Amino acid sequence: MTDRIHPLLAVFAGLVFLFLVGPLVIMIGASLSDTNFLTFPPRGLTLHWFTHIFEVTAFKTTAITSLELAFAGTFLSLLFGIPAAYALNRFRVELPSWLSTVYVLPILIPEIVFGFSLMKSVTIDSGFPVWLTLLIGHALLVLPYSVRVVSASLAAFDFSIEEAAISLGSPPLKTFFTIVLPNIRAGVIAAFILAFITSINDVSVSLFLTGPGISTLPIQILAYMEQFFDPTMAAVSVLLMLLTVGVMAIVEATLGLTFLTK
Amino acid sequence: MNTMRKWNLSLPAALAVVLLLVVPVVATFTTTFTQPQGAFAPYLAFFNSGFRRTVLWRTVEVALITTVLSLVIGFLTAYVISKVPGKAKSVMIIAAVFPLLTGVVVRSFAWMIILGKNGILNDFLIWTGLIDAPLAMLYTEGAVIVAMVYLFVPLMILTLVGVLDNIPKDVIEASISLGASPASTFRQVILPLSVPGLIVGAVLVFTGSFTSYATPQLLGGERQMMMGTFLYQRAMVTFDWVGASTVAAIMVVVTIAIVLVMGRIARKLNPMAV
């Protein structure tokens, strides 16, 4: 096979990568500027804006809320999603085919519509506390990832191994944890990462579910930006990028980044 | 025993989706049909308002342009990535994944720094002497489109690299050994085989940009109101919940229509399915 790439195409791809990475580099530069407005290249270098983040208590409290939500929401989605994915594969012929569509509805319905409807029906009409609705929103938002990614790795699992264990007297639940789960570990980790990232970056669902008492980091950033336009925002963004780098390192170490293209 | 087990395991998640997603969304739909002024009154009000029609049309336009640009840029880049050898390929995939894992707010914000009145692009253009006074680039439709393309190109690249990697090498080799030039191999073999993936990508980008909130809010502002920002404004600024529900219903209908129509086209065009 000829692997030569037309030079024009190579130049084009180079420009695309410049387009992809450039804005993030600019953001890092702007976060280090010692001016009190956003500029690039930075005039003088300072880490002042990074320390300023920690002086704004709203950032700290919302960052904690975001992390708690992402962990709890992802955990709930796996708690409900793994059994569902298991049932979809184990009882493939016996379960109705529309069932798998139900699990991906949170992706199919526009997030902002989902958030708005949750606020109206669950918080206001049913009187659920705001934090609970927010948690429900995040858990449902990421459920499709849990079901689909775990389901994909269960599709490659040979259920006769499980049957062998059970026929040799191992109880079903124990069999699941000792036989099935270790075999789909990669899928569970992948689902966790995708769900976590989706939750922590979410704007559209949280938008209607946050209020004066409780907010998430992305919503807080949006609110801050409407009032101030200083390098603090760039510094917060850079910290979030570092979090992304951390997640990518975990992905690379556990699954290899190429799993994302599958 | 299996009868019980299959339902015990599959129903909790399904019930959660039905009770906490389907029921609330249906309730939103219902409010738009149960108004005292008549079943379709909120929709008539929507389509009779020139401003609201503009918002809908702008959203469709921005989503379409974003989809086409992301398709072209994403496909050509994915094609290059699929052809480069191992090490360089993973570096390129990392560069594409990184923005994807970074939040929408962060990525839209980056474009505010670039396109702002005292932003980098204006500074640069003034420095080169091309313009004398800063251009108003922020809060334009163009700004929203650029940021959205930025948002969705990585998604398109990742989707299409997967598709291109799955094209059997034999097919491409056969085409070349039968005398086709690389250009006609691309046109007649690789492109048709990528159509299903291109359609999946197009659906993701169109629905994603059609329903987005953060990007139009940050880069379009009040002046370039889109469906997402309009829904928020109706609900949380003017407390016109029927109006907001109408916007929500229109968004769902458009999204589902696009998914169904494109899915049908994909099945028709899939050369593997013949």
Side-chain angles (χ1 to χ4, degrees), chain B residues 220-232:
Chain B
E222 294 264 308
R223 263 186 278 163
Q224 305 294 331
M225 194 82 85
M226 286 179 43
M227 290 296 270
T229 44
F230 186 57
L231 167 58
Y232 183 78

Side-chain angles (χ1 to χ4, degrees), chain B:
Chain B
M1 180 202 136
N2 271 353
T3 333
M4 284 308 290
R5 247 181 101 214
K6 72 181 184 203
W7 292 115
N8 284 347
L9 295 171
S10 62
L11 275 187
L15 276 179
V17 173
V18 170
L19 287 178
L20 296 164
L21 183 130
V22 178
V23 170
V25 171
V26 169
T28 298
F29 268 68
T30 313
T31 39
T32 64
F33 291 112
T34 51
Q35 290 307 302
Q37 302 94 318
F40 288 94
Y43 296 94
L44 290 176
F46 185 93
F47 287 103
N48 279 331
S49 150
F51 175 73
R52 291 170 197 207
R53 279 202 310 271
T54 312
V55 169
L56 176 60
W57 174 239
R58 182 188 293 127
T59 314
V60 171
E61 190 181 70
V62 167
L64 273 179
I65 297 174
T66 303
T67 307
V68 171
L69 288 176
S70 307
L71 270 178
V72 174
I73 297 173
F75 187 57
L76 292 177
T77 314
Y79 178 70
V80 172
I81 294 179
S82 74
K83 285 203 140 196
V84 298
K87 192 81 186 162
K89 184 172 175 171
S90 14
V91 172
M92 287 166 106
I93 289 179
I94 289 173
V97 172
F98 189 75
L100 195 64
L101 297 181
T102 313
V104 177
V105 175
V106 172
R107 284 187 285 164
S108 304
F109 176 64
W111 284 97
M112 291 179 80
I113 306 179
I114 297 170
L115 299 174
K117 193 153 192 177
N118 301 308
I120 293 140
L121 196 54
N122 267 323
D123 280 357
F124 177 74
L125 289 175
I126 291 172
W127 177 77
T128 57
L130 283 170
I131 53 168
D132 301 322
L135 299 172
M137 285 181 284
L138 210 53
Y139 311 120
T140 61
E141 206 176 293
V144 180
I145 292 172
V146 169
M148 288 229 192
V149 170
Y150 181 68
L151 222 53
F152 288 111
V153 160
L155 186 66
M156 200 66 110
I157 292 177
L158 282 186
T159 309
L160 293 174
V161 167
V163 170
L164 288 169
D165 279 350
N166 281 336
I167 294 178
K169 294 274 177 285
D170 317 359
V171 181
I172 296 162
E173 274 163 27
S175 158
I176 289 167
S177 69
L178 289 170
S181 67
S184 56
T185 303
F186 180 80
R187 234 184 9 258
Q188 295 178 11
V189 179
I190 297 174
L191 193 58
L193 286 172
S194 312
V195 165
L198 288 167
I199 289 179
V200 169
V203 169
L204 287 176
V205 174
F206 186 88
T207 54
S209 43
F210 186 77
T211 62
S212 62
Y213 171 81
T215 310
Q217 168 69 19
L218 291 174
L219 292 141
E222 294 264 308
R223 263 186 278 163
Q224 305 294 331
M225 194 82 85
M226 286 179 43
M227 290 296 270
T229 44
F230 186 57
L231 167 58
Y232 183 78
Q233 193 242 28
R234 284 284 106 192
M236 304 308 267
V237 181
T238 58
F239 295 104
D240 168 17
W241 285 19
V242 176
S245 302
T246 312
V247 176
I250 294 171
M251 282 171 102
V252 174
V253 169
V254 171
T255 308
I256 291 179
I258 290 286
V259 171
L260 293 178
V261 169
M262 296 300 268
R264 182 155 289 196
I265 294 174
R267 272 194 295 281
K268 267 203 180 138
L269 288 180
N270 190 350
M272 291 299 212
V274 180

